Amino acid sequence: MKSTIENQVLLETKELSFHYGKKIILDNVNFHVYPGEMVAIVGESGSGKSTLLYILGGFLKPQSGSYTFLGKKVYKTFLSHLGSFRRRHIGFLFQDFRLLPFLSVEQNIRFPVLFGGMELKRERLHALMESLGIFHRRKAFPSEISGGEMQRTGLGRALLSSPQLLLLDEPTGNLDEATEKEILSLLLKLKEQGISLVCVTHSSTIRKASDRVYRMKGHSLTEELPKAPRKKGAQQL
Ligand SMILES: Nc1ncnc2c1ncn2[C@@H]1O[C@H](COP(=O)(O)OP(=O)(O)O)[C@@H](O)[C@H]1O
Ligand SMILES: [Mg+2]
């Protein structure tokens, strides 16, 4: 087998474009993620970041270009099985948590298995809630928990199927600084476990902790290069 860089990426988009009617949202987006990376996507509101995340998650088919995941073209190979593609590979944390108010923390986390036909061991569910620090809140309802706990519950739901890729839409958007740091350290822990993360964010804390950063501008993505090392001071000349 060829050992090109292309074979090593977890996912890759090439010249991806998406529009709503005549309204162009994404134009020629080239993007890739290596296994175990945390990649941030930044950019102004309305620039198309969530749209890209939905495409990567298998929710929205682009009109042109390709999206390859583990060497397979998602909107060709998996087209009639996008649900199973998502269940097997993707965890998605929506911007507004999307917790169901009439279900407890534990039930919200278990929710996808009710429809996904997945098996779920009680020990796995408990270990997941433990690792997210919400085991003691498992019986509480969304109206009774904090923003950070809501986010952890959303993460639990996203992680239930042990995804390789976690897509996060502004995970700390409505959280205070201390809670943001807690969520970031949870994300870094997931990264250590080998999960790849793509995080749409406005947070400079998350951006700085990411391996690479892309900026969405003018319907397209550009990778921001790491800041160059400081120039040598005049005194050294
Ligand atoms: N269903 C839709 N129909 C038409 N336009 C939409 C729809 N959903 C989103 N948009 C538009 O697509 C653009 C990009 O939206 P979005 O991806 O949510 O941006 P971001 O996440 O960067 O704020 C916005 O101008 C938004 O109004
Ligand atoms: Mg958005």
Side-chain angles (χ1 to χ4, degrees):
M1 207 165 86
K2 283 189 292 176
S3 66
T4 59
I5 285 180
E6 209 172 88
N7 283 338
Q8 295 165 16
V9 296
L10 174 70
L11 67 88
E12 186 171 41
T13 74
K14 278 192 181 156
E15 297 175 13
L16 199 82
S17 297
F18 183 89
H19 51 86
Y20 283 114
K22 286 191 176 150
K23 186 174 173 185
I24 294 171
I25 310 296
L26 302 174
D27 185 26
N28 251 327
V29 169
N30 294 303
F31 174 69
H32 62 271
V33 177
Y34 290 101
E37 261 194 321
M38 173 153 143
V39 176
I41 298 179
V42 302
E44 282 174 15
S45 193
S47 59
K49 305 180 299 297
S50 296
T51 305
L52 177 62
L53 227 47
Y54 296 148
I55 293 174
L56 299 179
F59 292 102
L60 202 59
K61 185 176 183 288
Q63 281 89 2
S64 63
S66 65
Y67 170 31
T68 312
F69 190 97
L70 286 174
K72 289 189 176 141
K73 295 237 160 75
V74 172
Y75 290 95
K76 286 205 171 121
T77 316
F78 295 110
L79 190 55
S80 51
H81 311 284
L82 283 174
S84 77
F85 164 73
R86 286 196 294 268
R87 283 193 296 277
R88 278 182 60 189
H89 301 293
I90 308 287
F92 203 105
L93 186 69
F94 292 96
Q95 186 168 4
D96 49 5
F97 314 126
R98 299 209 184 164
L99 300 182
L100 293 168
F102 49 87
L103 297 181
S104 68
V105 162
E106 177 169 344
Q107 288 165 334
N108 263 289
I109 294 177
R110 288 179 52 217
F111 184 67
V113 301
L114 297 175
F115 292 95
M118 288 184 283
E119 272 194 40
L120 177 63
K121 293 217 164 72
R122 197 182 162 79
E123 299 77 44
R124 157 102 184 106
L125 179 63
H126 283 194
L128 182 61
M129 290 191 291
E130 286 277 8
S131 72
L132 292 166
I134 43 169
F135 183 73
H136 65 297
R137 303 295 277 138
R138 67 192 181 281
K139 297 225 159 63
F141 288 88
S143 60
E144 301 165 339
I145 61 179
S146 69
E149 287 167 340
M150 285 190 194
Q151 200 59 301
R152 287 159 193 266
T153 305
L155 270 174
R157 193 169 54 189
L159 292 167
L160 193 64
S161 59
S162 310
Q164 284 145 298
L165 176 67
L166 187 58
L167 301 169
L168 307 122
D169 202 351
E170 304 197 24
T172 59
N174 301 310
L175 304 179
D176 58 78
E177 219 171 296
T179 316
E180 176 178 71
K181 288 212 170 104
E182 282 172 29
I183 296 292
L184 174 63
S185 69
L186 263 178
L187 298 183
L188 292 173
K189 228 163 65 179
L190 296 172
K191 196 185 105 154
E192 269 172 35
Q193 292 164 17
I195 298 177
S196 307
L197 299 102
V198 176
C199 187
V200 165
T201 189
H202 291 289
S203 151
S204 60
T205 313
I206 293 194
R207 198 176 61 210
K208 282 180 198 148
S210 299
D211 297 302
R212 291 184 301 116
V213 178
Y214 284 86
R215 180 168 294 274
M216 184 71 83
K217 201 176 175 187
H219 311 299
S220 198
L221 272 187
T222 322
E223 186 170 348
E224 298 205 325
L225 296 173
K227 288 214 166 53
R230 242 165 14 113
K231 281 186 186 152
K232 282 181 182 160
Q235 71 274 20
Q236 286 172 292
L237 292 173

